[in-house]
Amino acid sequence: MSSLTPEPQPHTNQPMLLMAAQYSHHPIFVLDLRHHLVQANQAFASLCCVAPETLIGRPLSDFLNGPRLSALLGNVESWRSAYAQGFTEDMRVHSVAQPECWVRVSVSPVWDHDGRLNNLVAVLAEVTEERQLRRLERDVLEALNSKLSFAALGDVLCHQIESITPGVLVSLNRVIDGRLWPWAAPSFDPAYGSGFAGAPIGEGKATCGTSAYRGVPVMTENIHTDPSWAAYRHLALPPGCQACWSYPVKLRDGAVAGTFAFYFQKGGKPDAKLERVAQTSVHLCSLAIEREENQQRLNRLVQFDTLTGLPNRQALYRYIDDLLSQPPPGGVAFFYLSIDRFKDINNSLGHAAGDQTLVEISNRLSALQREGLFLARPEANLIVLVAPACSVHRAVQLAQQMQQMIKAPVEVAGFSLDLTLSIGVSHCSDADGHRDTLLQNAKSAMDQIKANGGAAYLFFSDGMNQLARERLLLGTALRRAIPNALRLVYQPQLRLDNARLYGVEALARWHDPQFGQVSPDRFITLAEEIGEVEAIGHWALREACQQMHAWREQGLCVPVVSVNLSPLSFRSRHLPGFVAGLLHEFNLQPQNLTIEITESAALALTADMQDVVQAIHRLGVGLSIDDFGTGYSSLSNLATLPVTEVKIDRSFIDQCLVQERLKALVLTVIGIGKNLHLAVVAEGVETAEQCALLVRYQCPVAQGYWLSHPLEAHDLAAWLNQSQTRFSAESLGRLAAS
Ligand code: C2E
Ligand code: CA
Ligand code: CA
C-alpha cells in the first residue's frame, strides 16, 4: 500500500477514517522501526515536494529532518518508558521544500498484541505563524513590563510586526478627544505623522480617521484614488504605498483609543495570516495604551492635586529646587495664600462648597501661570505662588493683583461670597535662598496677617516690609513727580588749556514732600524697575535743550550740555526723531548736545539699541562714555560705538595722587583720547592738587566740586563771572608748576 488508500475493512468506519487521513491538510505518515516510511498522505507528499508513491520505503530523513525529531525517534527505549502514549511537541524541522519551519509533531506508537512496538504514526501541523504571533506577544509583553517609553514601545511593536509581515509597513496612532495623534511609524518619514497630527477623526478622514470614527476595520485598496485620502495624499507616504488597512484599537470599555494600520507597498488585501497578526497586534496596542493611560493617571496623582488640578507639594518642591539651583536675575518671590474665613464656608455651607470655592479661586489665579508664574496647592486650603525673576517691587504689585483677581463675588451653593486673601510673601535675591526657609517665612507672614484680620499681604521681615512699602510708595510718588517735581541742575566742566567753559552736565534732582531729597542713584534705579526711566530720559532731554535755549536768549554761551540716559532709553526707535525734534524746536546745533551713557551700559547694548545710538550720532549729537574705567572695557571694545567723549571715573581721579598705577592709567586714557580725537573729561576733581596733576597731564577737561558743585540753572551766569577771575590759563599754568 503506497498511500493511505481506503480499502474495505471489517469496521464500517474504517474507510471513512482512512479517507479523512488521506485528504487531511495535516501531513500524516507511518514509520517502521528503522524510520522508513510505510505510508504517507498527500499533504506530507506536498510538504516534501514529491509524488506520494516515491516516498514509500525510503528513510524519513531523506525528506524531513530536525535535530529534535531525530533524537526523539532514534531512542526506541524511550517509547516504552516515557512515550508509551506518544507525544506532541513543537519543533524546528526542514524539508526539501521548506528550509526551516516550525511544526507541531504528534507521534503515536503502534503496539502489537505481544506488546512489541511495530510502527510510529506521525501527524504534523505547521505552527510557524502561531509561533511568530506568540513571540510577538512575548516580546511586546516584555517591553510593556520594561521602562520603555510609550513612543519606544510603539516602535518596538511596529518593528516586530513588520519583521513577520514582509512587504507591509505598520503605523500606530492615538485617538484623543476625537483627534488622531501619531504614536509610532518607524518606517515612515517623520513628516508623515506630523502631517495629520491633531486631525479630527470622521467619515472620509483617510483610512485611520474613518476606522477610528466607525469603530470597525476599514480597507482602502487604492490610496491614490480613494476620495477619503484626498486631503492626505500629499503627505510623505513611503514610496510605493498603495493600500491601507486600518483597525480601531479599543480599550476595555469599548472606547476607540487608537488605530493600527497596515500599509501595503504592492497593493493588495490582507490575507488570513495578516488578519491574525492584526488581531494580536490590536490587542497588544490596547494593552500599551492602557499602560500609558495608567501611567499618566499615576503621574497626575503623584504631581497634581486632584481637586484643583494644580501641582501638589512634591511638584512644588521640585520646581523650587530647580529654580534655586540657578536663581534667575532679580530674585524669586514666594507667596503663601489662604482664603480668609475658609473654615466658616466649610462649616456653614459644607465641604463640597469649600471645595468649589477653592477650585474657583485657583481657576482665577491660574491666569498668572500664563505669565510664567508657578502656582501650586501644597496643603488643604493653601495655595502657593512662586514668581521667578521678580523684584520686591514687582512682588508688591503681584500681591495686589491677586487681591484684585478674587474681588468679584464667588457663587457657591446658591450664595454669593465676597472673598479676601491673606498673603504672606518672602523674597530671595541671590543663590543663598533655601527652599524650606523661604516657604516657611512666607507662611509665617501669612499667619501673621491672618491673625491681624486678613485681607492683606505682608512681607516676611520687618526690613523687607519696610523696603517693600517704601519702594511701593516711592515708586508711586516718582510716577507722580515726572515731570513736574523733577528738575535739572548743571555742573560746569572747565577746559584746562584756556580755563573756558567746556560745557555742563545736566543732573536730575527730586525733592519729594514726604521722602525729602531723593538721590538720583536711588530714583533712577527705581525708575528703571517700574518702567519710568524712559519718561525721565525724555523729560531730561527736553528740559536741558530748553535751558540751553534760555541761556542763549540771556546771552550766556554754554557750548554743550550733557544729558545722562539709561540704556533702556535706547530701546525706543523714536529716540533719534525725538532728539532731532528738540534740536529744531530750541534752535540748537547738534554739537550743543551730548548724551552720556555709562561704560558698563554701553557694553551691554543690544544690536538694535546700537542702531539707535548710531542714528543719534548721525544727527551730529555727541556720545560720551561715562564712568570710564569701571566697566573693565578697553576703548577698542567700544569701537563699534560712535564715541566722541570719554569721562574718566571719579574713583581714578580720587586715587591718582596716591596710587602710581592709577596715575599711569589716567595718563594712558588722556593719551588715547588725544590720538583718537576724543574729548577726555576728568570727573570728580575735588582738590587743587588733583587739578594741577590733570593740567600737567594735559587732560583737556575737568569737572568736580573743586571747580563747581552742580548749579541751579539761574546760578550759572554768576559762577561764570566768578570763574573768570578765579581761573585763567595762567593761573592753571601756575597751579601745574607748583
Ligand atoms: P554721574 O553721571 O557719574 O554724575 C556725576 C555725579 O557725581 C553726580 O552725582 C555729581 O553730583 C557727582 N559729582 C560731581 N562732582 C563731584 C566731585 O567732585 N566729587 C564727588 N564725590 N561727586 C561729584 P549725582 O547728581 O548724585 O548723580 C548720580 C548719578 O545719577 C549720576 O552719576 C548718573 O549716573 C545718575 N543720574 C543723575 N541724573 C540723571 C539723569 O537725568 N538721568 C539718568 N539716567 N541718570 C542720572
Ligand atoms: Ca554722567
Ligand atoms: Ca560719571
Side-chain angles (χ1 to χ4, degrees), residues 313-325:
R313 182 196 300 272
Q314 275 74 27
L316 171 70
Y317 284 178
R318 201 167 320 127
Y319 173 80
I320 298 177
D321 290 344
D322 280 356
L323 193 66
L324 293 182
S325 68

Side-chain angles (χ1 to χ4, degrees), residues 505 564 596 626-627 647 649-650 683:
E505 178 179 4
N564 295 282
E596 288 192 17
D626 203 354
D627 303 347
K647 299 184 82 174
D649 188 61
R650 185 163 77 224
E683 284 191 302

Side-chain angles (χ1 to χ4, degrees), residues 164-278:
I164 58 171
T165 55
V168 177
L169 301 181
V170 175
S171 92
L172 308 176
N173 293 311
R174 285 295 316 270
V175 175
I176 301 168
D177 296 334
R179 288 176 188 276
L180 281 182
W181 298 97
W183 169 14
S187 304
F188 290 67
D189 189 316
Y192 177 63
S194 50
F196 63 81
I201 61 170
E203 287 297 339
K205 303 287 185 188
T207 320
C208 292
T210 313
S211 89
Y213 180 71
R214 293 188 194 161
V216 292
V218 170
M219 167 81 186
T220 301
E221 284 192 44
N222 192 336
I223 290 174
H224 302 285
T225 56
D226 195 292
S228 75
W229 273 82
Y232 304 94
R233 263 194 284 276
H234 66 283
L235 297 178
L237 270 168
C241 260
Q242 301 270 343
C244 177
W245 180 250
S246 174
Y247 294 79
V249 176
K250 295 182 182 176
L251 299 183
R252 257 173 271 213
D253 61 1
V256 176
T259 62
F260 167 91
F262 285 134
Y263 285 81
F264 301 89
Q265 286 182 305
K266 293 214 176 66
K269 297 178 185 181
D271 54 19
K273 174 184 172 184
L274 279 179
E275 290 266 18
R276 282 191 289 274
V277 173

Side-chain angles (χ1 to χ4, degrees), residues 514-680:
Q514 186 186 350
F515 295 98
Q517 196 72 23
V518 186
S519 85
D521 282 324
R522 194 154 161 231
F523 72 78
I524 295 293
T525 314
L526 182 63
E528 282 176 346
E529 270 183 34
I530 65 172
E532 290 293 338
V533 80
E534 278 179 79
I536 292 185
H538 279 77
W539 161 80
L541 281 166
R542 161 168 284 279
E543 187 71 18
C545 288
Q546 195 171 17
Q547 186 56 53
M548 286 291 274
H549 180 75
W551 280 324
R552 285 183 183 210
E553 298 277 283
Q554 295 165 27
L556 253 178
C557 175
V558 178
V560 58
V561 65
S562 294
V563 175
N564 295 282
L565 283 188
S566 150
L568 298 180
S569 295
F570 298 98
R571 287 188 302 198
S572 162
R573 301 219 137 257
H574 305 301
L575 188 63
F578 177 75
V579 170
L582 289 177
L583 295 176
H584 178 76
E585 183 182 347
F586 296 109
N587 199 16
L588 297 176
Q589 297 302 306
Q591 58 271 20
N592 298 144
L593 179 65
T594 287
I595 284 174
E596 288 192 17
I597 169 167
T598 62
E599 183 190 21
S600 43
L603 290 171
L605 289 179
T606 64
D608 283 351
M609 289 168 154
Q610 289 192 20
D611 288 347
V612 173
V613 172
Q614 292 287 358
I616 293 173
H617 170 70
R618 282 195 293 275
L619 297 174
V621 170
L623 176 70
S624 176
I625 299 299
D626 203 354
D627 303 347
F628 187 76
T630 56
Y632 305 101
S633 73
S634 66
L635 278 173
S636 61
N637 280 131
L638 301 168
T640 49
L641 289 174
V643 177
T644 57
E645 181 185 281
V646 181
K647 299 184 82 174
I648 306 175
D649 188 61
R650 185 163 77 224
S651 55
F652 294 89
I653 306 303
D654 188 33
Q655 291 292 311
C656 71
L657 281 175
V658 275
Q659 285 194 38
E660 283 301 317
R661 204 172 50 83
L662 291 186
K663 203 185 276 183
L665 219 135
V666 170
L667 199 57
T668 309
V669 177
I670 294 169
I672 294 172
K674 215 167 261 166
N675 287 335
L676 297 179
H677 304 291
L678 302 177
V680 175

